[in-house]
Amino acid sequence: MAITSAICNTFKTEILTGVHNFTASSGNTFNLALYTSSATLNKSTTAYTSSNEVANGNGYTTKGNALTSVTPVLSTDTAVCDFSPNISWTSASFTARGCLIFN
């Protein structure tokens, strides 16, 4: 099992077919879930899974935290979608080795 940093292949095609809306005021809700080192996350990941997600409790809730979208902008020649503010688990006592942002 391994976690690799990647943009999921399904996401790439879903962007082009309008599945995801990042607009701040009217867009979709995105979450960031945390995973243990036993998780398998890579470019072939197609959807959120609870398999090997950090255990519920100790300051963490299943499916992680919601991200607040900021309407995408163009930075030089790159489209950028930032989430604000940065999320944190301030009262947490767990170990995470990877994450997944999902709609």
Side-chain angles (χ1 to χ4, degrees):
M1 306 213 166
I3 298 172
T4 58
S5 181
I7 295 175
C8 300
N9 286 336
T10 54
F11 177 76
K12 295 172 189 177
T13 57
E14 290 169 351
I15 283 292
L16 296 175
T17 57
V19 172
H20 305 286
N21 180 349
F22 289 87
T23 306
S25 61
S26 60
N28 300 125
T29 299
F30 296 88
N31 276 38
L32 187 141
L34 300 176
Y35 292 86
T36 70
S37 60
S38 297
T40 300
L41 299 171
N42 54 48
K43 67 181 182 179
S44 297
T45 301
T46 59
Y48 164 79
T49 177
S50 60
S51 179
N52 295 304
E53 184 176 7
V54 168
N56 197 27
N58 296 318
Y60 183 79
T61 303
T62 303
K63 291 191 175 182
N65 282 353
L67 298 167
T68 302
S69 188
V70 175
T71 300
V73 296
L74 195 60
S75 177
T76 310
D77 292 328
T78 304
V80 177
C81 179
D82 196 3
F83 294 103
S84 176
N86 295 331
I87 61 172
S88 62
W89 287 266
T90 56
S91 62
S93 59
F94 57 80
T95 300
R97 298 290 185 225
C99 70
L100 177 70
I101 296 174
F102 64 96
N103 180 354

